[in-house]
Amino acid sequence: MITIKEATSKGDLTTFVKFPFELYKDSPYYVPSIIKEELDVMNPNKNPVFKNADAKYFLAFKGERIVGRIAAIINWIEVNEQKKPKVRFGWFDVIDDIEVTKALINKVKEFGAQHSLEYMEGPVGFSNMDKAGILIKGYEELNTMITWYNYPYYADHMTELGFEQAATWVEYKIKVPKETKEKVVKFAEVIKKRYQLKLLKFKKSKEILAYADDMFDLLNKTYSSLQTFVPIQQYQIDMYKKKYLPYLNPDYITCIADKTGKLIAFAIVMPSFSKALKKMNGKIYPLRFLHILRAQRRNDTAAFYLIGVDPEYQNKGVTALIFKEMNETFIRNGIETVETNPELEENKAVQALWNGYEHEQHKMRRTFRKAL
């Protein structure tokens, strides 16, 4: 018999967060999240997203055994301002039992119906800055710090329960050239002079803070036309600055300003933390965090997280200047491979950026949608 319990206490939520550790304990590809960070995300006193969101968390049991989890989420900016009557679901993990998935999904359905919403979609987080999508390709690849991992049967469960495909993301693995191509160097210099642009590089991560708000403003401008977009709020920006600053290696951050000093483009790349996070196994106390510090400085793989370009400068070759600087950073730091952030399949402009490099699409993930 399957029973569903809403996780409300700190103990329940800790159990909720730790369930994937048991589910994927034998998987060499699962990269665990930091337990404390996950709990903070779910805490209304620590995550300001709850100013415009509501959420419930559910655990599925067979007897005393935990067999699944799911979060039901409403982003009220999306519902009220963007007029999308959607209840989201995320943090979805389950054993290979369609009845367990059905019981969990029914809780999402009930939550959405209570608020007169019309359809559900997931897995997603609170906003488009959170993890999203069921993995449908790349099961033998480590997930990154900002993606979920799952077994192949997840998508089968969605299909069997009558869900339709919604958004699809693709990810690429790019081989770093051993030297920056001469034509890239020349073209970057032409673009720099033509538009009187200035390259901004940093020595300390705290120096990046002065430009952080402008970066998120560019993200809002860059991705506003995409189907999953929800505007990033200032309180979220403040949280992300605090959350991710410890992970940034300033040598990997590239910003470009115009002649007045206004930020017009940026790229955030980090050394890959996947192997470090596996070693940390959800814990972040000082000795475990040494794995992150080592990964920041000694690594042969990097993760391309974010790129933003002011619409006024899109399709004008500005990315050539970014890529020139990033390639030189990779060579200087011994990076051989770069993995991209999930990119919406429809975002052909971003995918075209990799055409000049040896690359392969090694992962794909998807959200699923169903009327309530």
Side-chain angles (χ1 to χ4, degrees), residues 115-180:
H115 294 280
S116 301
L117 300 177
E118 296 178 8
Y119 67 97
M120 69 180 91
E121 184 178 341
V124 291
F126 289 95
S127 75
N128 54 304
M129 290 295 292
D130 294 325
K131 300 176 183 180
I134 285 175
L135 191 68
I136 58 173
K137 175 185 178 181
Y139 302 111
E140 296 182 354
E141 301 278 355
L142 288 171
N143 61 291
T144 67
M145 184 172 69
I146 59 170
T147 59
W148 283 310
Y149 181 81
N150 60 261
Y151 290 128
Y153 58 80
Y154 280 43
D156 296 335
H157 284 199
M158 294 290 106
T159 301
E160 189 171 343
L161 291 175
F163 281 79
E164 60 184 23
Q165 298 178 10
T168 300
W169 289 264
V170 291
E171 299 170 54
Y172 292 88
K173 187 183 290 185
I174 303 164
K175 187 173 182 179
V176 176
K178 296 186 180 299
E179 60 181 14
T180 307

Side-chain angles (χ1 to χ4, degrees), residues 301-318:
T301 304
F304 202 117
Y305 283 106
L306 292 172
I307 184 169
V309 180
D310 191 305
E312 183 181 343
Y313 287 89
Q314 291 176 10
N315 302 316
K316 291 185 177 179
V318 173

Side-chain angles (χ1 to χ4, degrees), residues 28 45 81 87 97 135 156 178 182 208 212 216 225 240 267 322 333:
N45 296 320
E81 297 182 16
V87 57
D97 185 330
L135 191 68
D156 296 335
K178 296 186 180 299
E182 184 178 353
I208 303 167
F216 281 99
S225 63
Y240 292 134
I322 293 176
N333 288 281

Side-chain angles (χ1 to χ4, degrees), residues 37-62:
E37 289 183 355
E38 289 284 271
L39 288 171
D40 285 351
V41 166
M42 298 172 186
N43 187 340
N45 296 320
K46 294 187 177 182
N47 187 351
V49 76
F50 286 97
K51 293 179 181 179
N52 290 292
D54 288 306
K56 288 181 178 291
Y57 312 97
F58 300 98
L59 289 164
F61 291 83
K62 278 189 172 182

Side-chain angles (χ1 to χ4, degrees), residues 179-191:
E179 60 181 14
T180 307
K181 296 178 181 179
E182 184 178 353
K183 65 179 182 179
V184 173
V185 174
K186 290 182 178 179
F187 185 58
E189 191 61 30
V190 168
I191 296 300

Side-chain angles (χ1 to χ4, degrees), residues 54-116:
D54 288 306
K56 288 181 178 291
Y57 312 97
F58 300 98
L59 289 164
F61 291 83
K62 278 189 172 182
E64 298 296 319
R65 179 190 173 204
I66 299 173
V67 291
R69 69 170 189 172
I70 202 166
I73 302 164
I74 301 174
N75 182 314
W76 290 110
I77 293 176
E78 182 176 51
V79 173
N80 295 328
E81 297 182 16
Q82 297 186 308
K83 306 304 180 184
K84 295 181 179 179
K86 175 171 73 178
V87 57
R88 296 165 165 243
F89 67 89
W91 284 270
F92 169 62
D93 284 292
V94 67
I95 65 170
D96 190 7
D97 185 330
I98 189 66
E99 294 303 320
V100 177
T101 298
K102 184 177 181 180
L104 289 168
I105 288 295
N106 281 341
K107 286 298 179 180
V108 179
K109 182 177 179 180
E110 289 174 10
F111 187 53
Q114 288 169 6
H115 294 280
S116 301

Side-chain angles (χ1 to χ4, degrees), residues 198-231:
K198 181 171 65 173
L199 179 70
L200 304 175
K201 294 292 286 184
F202 309 98
K203 293 183 179 180
K204 297 180 179 180
S205 57
K206 289 184 178 180
E207 296 174 0
I208 303 167
L209 280 175
Y211 296 92
D213 286 358
D214 292 335
M215 289 182 189
F216 281 99
D217 183 55
L218 281 181
L219 284 180
N220 278 335
K221 292 178 180 178
T222 302
Y223 299 108
S224 60
S225 63
L226 298 178
Q227 62 170 308
T228 62
F229 181 78
V230 178

